[in-house]
């Protein structure tokens, strides 16, 4: 066992990823430039065919200002939560393929996501339904991946889902993630008024002195999505939802 563990640590890792032009590149894990991976394309193509068990597609990310691929609804949920997280500054789907030895076998694995935090932390994410995480083959793959990326100083996350209410609220707010859907002139007004309002409904009512509700509401919801306003999302989002100015945001 000791010999096997030592061999695993000494084997150089190969990493394969696609550039923005679709070309395939390969290098050792230690030489991978995160920014190149984030700017590139998924290393694995999303394919659609009749009878496919998973729903795949493309999600427009406000963080990346472009489309990000997903291979299942569960994966889409994790991408959306990352897009909502103000600390996440980079998102890549199917970012690269890891190829290396694990004891007596050679593994090839494409993680689902790579996330870059504003602190510089890189997190490799595998998305899997909770019922499958304990399967021996799945657990072994995740253990190997965790060890491999840790050698580069990266974090590893196995994501199985989120609180249903939080996810429902974030999914709703995602409809207001695009800045063009809001009246730009009302943004500084809303931020100024927010300092004196305790709920979503209170801020909307105050903002209707400047614009109709159908114009004011998207501004409020966009500011929650963008992180300028903090809202309690553990309960259904509504007019009574408490809000506050996020730390570091000036009115």
């Amino acid at each position: 066992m000791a010999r096997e563990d030592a061999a695993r640590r000494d084997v150089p890792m190969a990493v394969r990823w696609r550039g923005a032009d679709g070309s395939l590149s390969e290098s050792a894990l230690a030489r991978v430039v995160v920014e190149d991976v984030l700017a590139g394309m998924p290393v694995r193509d999303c394919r659609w065919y009749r009878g496919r068990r998973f729903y795949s597609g493309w999600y427009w990310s406000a963080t990346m200002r472009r489309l990000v691929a997903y291979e299942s609804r569960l994966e889409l949920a994790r991408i959306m939560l990352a897009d909502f997280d103000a600390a996440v500054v980079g998102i890549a789907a199917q970012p690269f393929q890891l190829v290396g030895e694990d004891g007596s076998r050679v593994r090839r694995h494409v993680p689902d996501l790579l996330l870059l935090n504003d602190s510089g932390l890189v997190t490799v994410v595998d998305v899997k339904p909770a019922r499958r995480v304990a399967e021996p083959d799945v657990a072994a793959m995740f253990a190997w991946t965790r060890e491999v990326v840790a050698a580069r100083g990266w974090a590893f996350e196995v994501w199985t889902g989120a609180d249903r209410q939080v996810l429902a609220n974030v999914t709703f707010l995602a409809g207001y993630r695009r800045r063009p859907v809001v009246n730009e002139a009302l943004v500084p007004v809303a931020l100024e008024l927010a300092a004196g309002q305790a709920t979503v409904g209170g801020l909307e009512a105050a903002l209707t002195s400047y614009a109709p509700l159908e114009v004011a509401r998207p501004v409020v919801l966009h500011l929650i999505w963008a992180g300028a306003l903090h809202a309690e999302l553990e309960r259904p989002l509504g007019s009574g939802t408490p809000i506050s100015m996020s730390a570091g945001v000036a009115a």
Side-chain angles (χ1 to χ4, degrees), residues 172 176 181-183 186 190 199-222 238-239:
F172 173 73
Y176 300 89
V181 306
V182 306
N183 186 317
L186 289 179
T199 65
V200 168
L203 180 55
E204 288 179 345
L207 202 54
T208 55
S209 297
Y210 300 84
L213 180 60
E214 60 268 24
V215 177
R217 177 165 291 166
V219 176
V220 176
L221 297 176
H222 174 76
S239 60

Side-chain angles (χ1 to χ4, degrees), residues 127-163:
V127 176
K128 191 71 68 175
R131 66 181 184 276
R132 296 201 55 204
V133 171
E135 293 177 6
D137 288 347
V138 173
M141 178 66 78
F142 287 169
W144 176 78
T145 305
R146 184 185 302 276
E147 182 178 359
V148 166
V149 301
R152 175 65 196 269
W154 294 349
F156 179 66
E157 171 188 311
V158 176
W159 194 81
T160 60
D163 178 86

